[in-house]
Amino acid sequence: MKYFSRYLPLADEARQQSLYILASGHQLIPPHASYPPTSHPADHQFRWEQGRTLQEYQLVYIANGGGLFESRSAGRRRIEAETLFILFPGEWHRYSPDPETGWDEYWVAFQGRIAETLIAESALSPSDPLLGGQPTERMQHEFVQIMEEMRREAIGYQKVIGARTMLIMATATASSLRRGFEGTDILNAIERGKTILFEQMEQNINMEEMAATLGVGYSLFRKSFRKYIGMSPAQYHLELRINEASHLLRTTTLPIAAIGLRVGFESAGYFCRIFKRKTGQSPGEHRNMAQG
């Protein structure tokens, strides 16, 4: 498939979705070919000399080849193969493949009330709109599936392509975040630390001593653990305890005090206070809801 683009007719119901797709496409631009193709609507056409401004978000993925990207906030950037970038509404921009290489481009345009939240939670911003090093096979698969759904327009397809667009964003963001940890000693320490915290769930653990046994300073370990996992080692350990207590409350008839002791709380009162603070329910309420 060397070229495909589809701009969707949208019912009012589709526009009420938290994220809805406006259009998507693919274009394989050979070396020395004119760019962009002339089959887009007038408000989506642009020339390099003028650039353009859109009213929606667009994700653009360059699978092969390379070129240039420029926007008002980001300035001019080099685009290599396996790069995903985003076009922001109201943000002037332009981009084009190298004449000597061309490129293989996939794109999807979207809007919706969740779009801004989705972008804010990603690693993308108007001043930093590029994410390099995105695996081609995975990215191509998601874009191709979006286009196939758009070809068929089977019932419910808008929900499917909206979810796949969110998956592209989540996958690209996670890939970029993980790349900074791959092959590092600190990642090894984090993984070993997680194992210790799980295996010693019922024990009180001195986090500084654990970091020392892992061969890393506690400050660096805590900061890196929080960045990688999303919470501190102590919080992670507490969440493991609460999850295990929830499981025991739902699946056993053990007394609440016994469950608290089993997961490492020194007293039933302290266990009940922490469990309610974390879950919004007392252990008794949690058990009754699970059973009823």
Side-chain angles (χ1 to χ4, degrees):
M1 185 170 55
K2 293 184 177 181
Y3 180 82
F4 170 84
S5 70
R6 182 76 193 279
Y7 291 81
L8 295 173
L10 289 176
D12 291 340
E13 180 182 355
R15 294 183 184 276
Q16 298 305 311
Q17 292 180 193
S18 57
L19 186 144
Y20 56 91
I21 305 305
L22 301 169
S24 184
H26 168 245
Q27 45 204 22
L28 181 60
I29 308 299
H32 305 291
S34 61
Y35 184 86
T38 58
S39 57
H40 296 288
D43 61 344
H44 284 68
Q45 279 291 347
F46 71 96
R47 292 184 299 168
W48 176 263
E49 293 77 12
Q50 297 175 329
R52 69 175 177 185
T53 303
L54 297 174
Q55 301 305 309
E56 75 270 9
Y57 292 97
Q58 280 196 20
L59 286 175
V60 184
Y61 178 64
I62 306 303
N64 296 291
L68 291 176
F69 170 89
E70 186 175 359
S71 72
R72 183 182 62 223
S73 298
R76 184 171 293 193
R77 305 285 186 89
R78 174 73 191 168
I79 299 176
E80 304 293 349
E82 299 190 339
T83 294
L84 181 81
F85 61 91
I86 188 166
L87 309 176
F88 286 82
E91 177 81 6
W92 176 88
H93 63 269
R94 59 185 180 179
Y95 52 94
S96 182
D98 288 335
E100 298 301 319
T101 65
W103 69 21
D104 192 6
E105 173 189 340
Y106 297 82
W107 59 275
V108 60
F110 61 97
Q111 286 181 321
R113 59 184 180 275
I114 200 175
E116 291 187 8
T117 301
L118 186 67
I119 301 302
E121 293 175 349
S122 76
L124 297 163
S125 68
S127 60
D128 194 13
L130 278 64
L131 288 177
Q134 304 302 318
T136 297
E137 184 176 348
R138 178 65 182 271
M139 285 291 158
Q140 282 181 323
H141 173 77
E142 296 303 333
F143 278 101
V144 168
Q145 292 303 308
I146 288 172
M147 290 184 287
E148 289 299 325
E149 288 285 344
M150 292 174 68
R151 284 178 183 273
R152 295 173 59 220
E153 290 189 69
I155 185 170
Y157 81 101
Q158 266 284 356
K159 297 183 184 301
V160 174
I161 60 180
R164 287 195 176 276
T165 299
M166 288 191 282
L167 179 60
I168 289 171
M169 287 288 298
T171 300
T173 299
S175 175
S176 295
L177 293 173
R178 291 169 184 170
R179 196 173 303 118
F181 284 89
E182 290 175 357
T184 63
D185 292 338
I186 193 64
L187 177 57
N188 182 49
I190 290 170
E191 295 294 349
R192 290 163 56 204
K194 285 167 55 183
T195 300
I196 292 171
L197 294 173
F198 179 79
E199 292 178 345
Q200 300 181 25
M201 186 188 310
E202 75 288 352
Q203 300 178 26
N204 290 320
I205 297 178
N206 185 306
M207 298 298 167
E208 294 187 10
E209 291 179 0
M210 184 183 73
T213 65
L214 296 172
V216 61
Y218 177 65
S219 179
L220 175 61
F221 178 71
R222 185 181 186 280
K223 180 180 179 181
S224 301
F225 192 101
R226 186 178 185 87
K227 183 176 181 180
Y228 193 79
I229 303 296
M231 63 185 81
S232 69
Q235 184 66 32
Y236 183 81
H237 194 221
L238 178 59
E239 293 293 341
L240 289 174
R241 288 175 163 184
I242 296 298
N243 288 345
E244 179 63 13
S246 172
H247 172 72
L248 293 172
L249 288 165
R250 289 182 284 107
T251 61
T252 74
T253 59
L254 285 171
I256 289 173
I259 290 175
L261 289 173
R262 178 175 289 194
V263 297
F265 290 91
E266 296 177 355
S267 71
Y270 181 58
F271 167 59
C272 290
R273 289 197 303 274
I274 296 298
F275 190 91
K276 185 166 186 176
R277 191 180 75 193
K278 299 299 293 183
T279 68
Q281 298 175 316
S282 70
E285 290 169 341
H286 190 77
R287 170 171 275 172
N288 290 337
M289 179 172 288
Q291 294 176 348

